[in-house]
Amino acid sequence: MIFPPGPLDPIIIFLATLSVMSAIIALESRQIVYGAVSLIVMFLGISAIFLYLGGLYLGVVQLGVYVGAIGVLILFAVILVGESRTPEPNVNRIIGATAAMIVLGSLLVGFTALQMLPAPHHVGAQELSRIASRLMRDYGLVIVALGSLLASTAFGSVMITRR
Amino acid sequence: MMVMELNLIMVSTLSMILFVIGVYGLVSKRNLLRLIFSIEIMINAATLNFVAFAAYLGSSMSVAQIAGVIIIALAAAEAAAGLSLILEAHRLRKDVVVDQLREMKG
Amino acid sequence: MDAQTKDVRDSVSFWLIISLVVILIIGWVVEGDVLIDFLVDLVSGPQVLTNPLFLSIVFPGLLYVSIVAAVAIYVERKIAAKIQIRIGPQYAGRVEGILQVVADGIKMAAKEFVIPRTVDVTFFVAAPILSLTVGMLSITVVPFSPTTVIFPFPVNLLLFFAIVSFFPLTALLAGWASNNKFSLIGAARALFQQASYEIPMLISALAPALLAGSLRIEDIVMAQKDMPFLFPAILSAIIFLAAALAETEKHPFEIPEADSEIVAGWMTEYSSMPYTLFMLAVYVKMISLSTLFTDLFLSGWLGPISLPPEAWTVVKSWIVLLIFLTVRALFPRIRIDQMLKMGWGSMLLLSVAGLFLAIALGMVVGL
């Protein structure tokens, strides 16, 4: 989808609200399992935004990898580890909020650069085969590096957690 | 700014807010699992920007999706390594608080 | 018995009506007046077969799936009984116990939904609903014919596997929410099993995708005009069947709910309708996997004689389903460590080998 000119899209507003709310709940929920499930809801919301904006392939990969693999892995680790016995000190919240505000300010400065965006030039729908050929032609080395990284990570995680 | 970009502004604002939430969590939390949550939120925010601007510009969606897939693969590796380290820390310390892991302090 | 109880019987029909109304409102917002369109199509004849409401509620949606699941449960029990030299269901419905499933359903619906005090109520109630939702989502992306697909999507093969990967999530939630050792062990087993067998299944499903050069199931079926991909991709097909059996937690791989070891696995604390929802979700998953197998390897809706395309898909998928149900009675259960060793060892290697074999044989026969 190309962004339609005109007023705000209610679907985007809904998905954005859902993502932000569930991200906040993920960090601030009292029980950490609820936080993990809320994080998975956020992944779902983000993937819905991808699908809605036309990134079909990326949306599906987000669904399969983030929700199906990373989300399940995080939920399983959370269930295994359980609740932390030490409570979070309240002072940290204030420090965290301050840091967040500083980052927000610096991001807002970058936001003004939106005015310098080039005008959109529309082309036709993206084919999956085009992504595949670009992935193999231009990013072949990246794919190989990613593959070896993933393999070594899997091997390393197994070695770490093995008794 | 023009009315035409309102939806783009909406999505990139969402990305910014998610990133800031991630920063907040990363600074304020001491539970290792919550730190992983924050990092995942920040990674998602970054990916969102690629897709939002590609959808606005209308031409580079395939590049944006490739970037997103690479980011997601990296995030998967990060989650696997991080979670296995957390499980190991839990086995050693019976808790998953960052402050307790300070054997390496000089 | 000291338990907090809730009577669901009165509220089942209430929630059904509520959810139907919500679906209609969403449909009205997104697609215009769904109900009026459906009624107009209904009086106009065969056009109704491609109406979205008809697709999602009658065929291949809710009604078809529920009926096939009910028949599959009966057939499964009868086949298992005959193989093990028993009689099987006998009384309900006079003839060979043909109404046994209906009797079981009524019994299940009449029972009380017990919510123990120590469970986490939110996820305890949400898990069965989520499970059935994911099951129904998995049937929405599988095409029965070029027009008979509830949710047309350009990369629906990937989307199907993304949806199938949600199942361990619901099992894990149910197991954790039950606050019970057996449930948690069963949930962990379900997670290990489904997560490790999804990879061979995905790799062996890539063989037909490679032969057809597309990740769209409709294109894969159309590429099988000359020859079903079962012949070039025979090894992949076998691996896919075995992995699908493991995914549906059926008998040789029935480890997560091994009733002689861990009561009923992650469904231990469940009773009444929520338990039925879990069972229905498993059967829906089985139906959608067998339909996907039909589309990928058995040339889907294409057939030698001209029948309605949906009829071919349905008949072939029933045959695949029958294989699933028969295997159940033939093999003993294996242990979880044997299972995982097989999944990450021979299954993974064989699925990659099947991929290369399919490419080589496809070159030989000139696909």
Side-chain angles (χ1 to χ4, degrees):
Chain A
M1 187 197 84
I2 311 300
F3 282 112
L8 280 173
D9 200 332
I11 295 181
I12 289 185
I13 296 177
F14 169 73
L15 290 174
T17 322
L18 178 78
S19 308
V20 169
M21 292 305 281
S22 48
I24 292 174
I25 295 173
L27 291 177
E28 291 296 335
S29 71
R30 198 163 294 135
Q31 284 194 59
I32 194 163
V33 173
Y34 279 75
V37 174
S38 175
L39 188 72
I40 291 172
V41 172
M42 194 208 78
F43 294 157
L44 279 175
I46 299 282
S47 78
I49 293 178
F50 289 165
L51 291 176
Y52 190 68
L53 295 186
L56 298 183
Y57 177 62
L58 182 59
V60 172
V61 169
Q62 166 101 357
L63 274 184
V65 176
Y66 253 113
V67 183
I70 301 180
V72 173
L73 196 64
I74 287 179
L75 185 63
F76 183 63
V78 164
I79 288 175
L80 263 188
V81 169
E83 217 59 51
S84 169
R85 283 193 303 273
T86 34
E88 304 278 353
N90 267 332
V91 175
N92 281 5
R93 290 226 171 100
I94 300 163
I95 302 172
T98 317
M101 282 306 138
I102 293 169
V103 174
L104 181 66
S106 54
L107 283 180
L108 274 176
V109 173
F111 219 64
T112 53
L114 275 185
Q115 284 167 335
M116 293 180 279
L117 266 184
H121 51 295
H122 298 172
V123 291
Q126 302 296 317
E127 288 286 317
L128 191 63
S129 54
R130 195 168 151 195
I131 297 177
S133 64
R134 276 203 94 134
L135 205 57
M136 281 300 131
R137 200 184 58 228
D138 301 347
Y139 297 86
L141 205 60
V142 180
I143 296 295
V144 173
L146 263 186
S148 42
L149 174 75
L150 279 175
S152 56
T153 314
F155 186 71
S157 332
V158 170
M159 291 313 281
I160 288 173
T161 46
R162 204 169 77 166
R163 266 180 212 277
Chain B
M1 294 185 198
M2 288 183 296
V3 188
M4 205 175 135
E5 298 168 16
L6 266 181
N7 283 312
L8 173 68
I9 291 170
M10 184 73 195
V11 178
S12 48
T13 311
L14 165 68
S15 156
M16 188 169 71
I17 291 174
L18 282 182
F19 192 84
V20 167
I21 290 173
V23 169
Y24 161 75
L26 211 53
V27 173
S28 71
K29 297 295 166 192
R30 296 198 301 172
N31 189 335
L32 283 167
L33 288 162
R34 302 262 195 204
L35 296 185
I36 290 269
F37 289 5
S38 322
I39 294 173
E40 297 296 343
I41 291 172
M42 288 164 79
I43 291 173
N44 265 290
T47 321
L48 197 56
N49 250 345
F50 279 95
V51 175
F53 283 94
Y56 169 72
L57 292 173
S59 62
S60 48
M61 196 44 127
S62 59
V63 180
Q65 294 193 48
I66 289 170
V69 168
I70 291 171
I71 292 173
I72 287 177
L74 282 175
E78 172 260 324
L83 289 174
S84 64
L85 285 172
I86 288 177
L87 289 186
E88 191 59 25
H90 178 252
R91 192 179 293 154
L92 287 174
R93 297 271 154 190
K94 305 289 172 236
D95 207 347
V96 282
V97 180
V98 197
D99 303 359
Q100 293 180 353
L101 305 171
R102 32 173 77 162
E103 283 93 277
M104 302 277 277
K105 206 162 82 173
Chain C
M1 195 67 181
D2 192 304
Q4 174 196 356
T5 58
K6 211 175 244 181
D7 201 336
V8 180
R9 262 173 297 166
D10 301 332
S11 57
V12 164
S13 53
F14 171 74
W15 285 111
L16 248 172
I17 292 167
I18 290 285
S19 50
L20 202 66
V21 168
V22 167
I23 289 170
L24 283 178
I25 289 174
I26 292 174
W28 182 71
V29 169
V30 177
E31 288 281 332
D33 209 329
V34 182
L35 200 57
I36 299 290
D37 286 353
F38 175 66
L39 290 177
V40 167
D41 282 352
L42 195 62
V43 289
S44 73
Q47 204 183 341
V48 74
L49 286 175
T50 53
N51 182 287
L53 199 63
F54 179 84
L55 283 178
S56 50
I57 290 186
V58 182
F59 177 84
L62 200 57
L63 199 64
Y64 168 77
V65 162
S66 314
I67 290 174
V68 174
V71 174
I73 293 172
Y74 172 74
V75 171
E76 177 180 23
R77 294 180 65 173
K78 270 298 184 190
I79 290 178
K82 293 285 186 264
I83 289 176
Q84 295 159 354
I85 323 183
R86 292 184 286 117
I87 299 173
Q90 188 65 23
Y91 296 107
R94 288 161 196 271
V95 191
E96 287 289 314
I98 201 153
L99 291 181
Q100 183 64 43
V101 179
V102 181
D104 280 349
I106 292 171
K107 187 195 82 174
M108 277 296 192
K111 292 232 167 162
E112 186 180 14
F113 177 30
V114 180
I115 302 182
R117 184 181 279 171
T118 51
V119 303
D120 184 299
V121 180
T122 316
F123 290 149
F124 190 76
V125 176
I129 300 169
L130 279 179
S131 186
L132 187 60
T133 310
V134 175
M136 287 297 174
L137 278 180
S138 72
I139 201 88
T140 55
V141 293
V142 184
F144 279 66
S145 84
T147 50
T148 314
V149 52
I150 301 173
F151 180 55
F153 193 75
V155 280
N156 47 11
L157 186 62
L158 277 184
L159 185 60
F160 182 85
F161 282 102
I163 290 171
V164 163
S165 68
F166 296 170
F167 274 103
L169 203 65
T170 61
L172 207 53
L173 274 184
W176 177 78
S178 296
N179 198 3
N180 177 330
K181 281 199 181 83
F182 294 127
S183 300
L184 198 54
I185 293 172
R189 286 181 174 189
L191 170 63
F192 295 158
Q193 173 171 333
Q194 296 188 11
S196 49
Y197 275 71
E198 204 171 295
I199 299 164
M201 191 162 82
L202 179 57
I203 294 177
S204 50
L206 282 183
L210 267 179
L211 288 175
S214 173
L215 280 174
R216 194 161 166 262
I217 303 176
E218 285 92 337
D219 294 346
I220 296 176
V221 174
M222 291 322 281
Q224 305 179 48
K225 210 169 269 172
D226 304 324
M227 176 202 301
F229 285 156
L230 182 68
F231 300 113
I234 177 75
L235 188 55
S236 294
I238 294 169
I239 296 290
F240 188 94
L241 264 188
L245 265 176
E247 282 284 312
T248 49
E249 298 173 6
K250 274 300 159 186
H251 211 278
F253 308 114
E254 195 212 15
I255 300 161
E257 44 201 273
D259 30 14
S260 53
E261 300 167 20
I262 46 169
V263 193
W266 44 278
M267 298 190 279
T268 302
E269 293 287 352
Y270 283 92
S271 53
S272 176
M273 280 318 272
Y275 182 76
T276 320
L277 294 189
F278 274 132
M279 294 309 289
L280 188 59
V282 169
Y283 280 92
V284 171
K285 190 180 176 185
M286 213 189 263
I287 292 164
S288 59
L289 277 171
S290 58
T291 315
L292 183 72
F293 183 86
T294 308
D295 281 347
L296 291 184
F297 295 102
L298 298 179
S299 72
W301 53 83
L302 306 173
I305 32 175
S306 75
L307 282 178
E310 293 88 358
W312 276 115
T313 318
V314 165
V315 168
K316 287 175 189 170
S317 72
W318 284 355
I319 294 172
V320 179
L321 196 60
L322 212 58
I323 298 175
F324 278 143
L325 302 180
T326 316
V327 169
R328 191 208 155 174
L330 291 178
F331 295 105
R333 185 163 59 227
I334 61 177
R335 284 201 319 269
I336 182 78
D337 57 321
Q338 295 169 329
M339 168 114 195
L340 291 183
K341 206 168 196 174
M342 197 169 90
W344 289 101
S346 50
M347 287 287 270
L348 197 56
L349 288 179
L350 277 177
S351 61
V352 176
L355 199 59
F356 287 115
L357 184 71
I359 296 169
L361 283 181
M363 278 178 176
V364 168
V365 297
L367 273 169

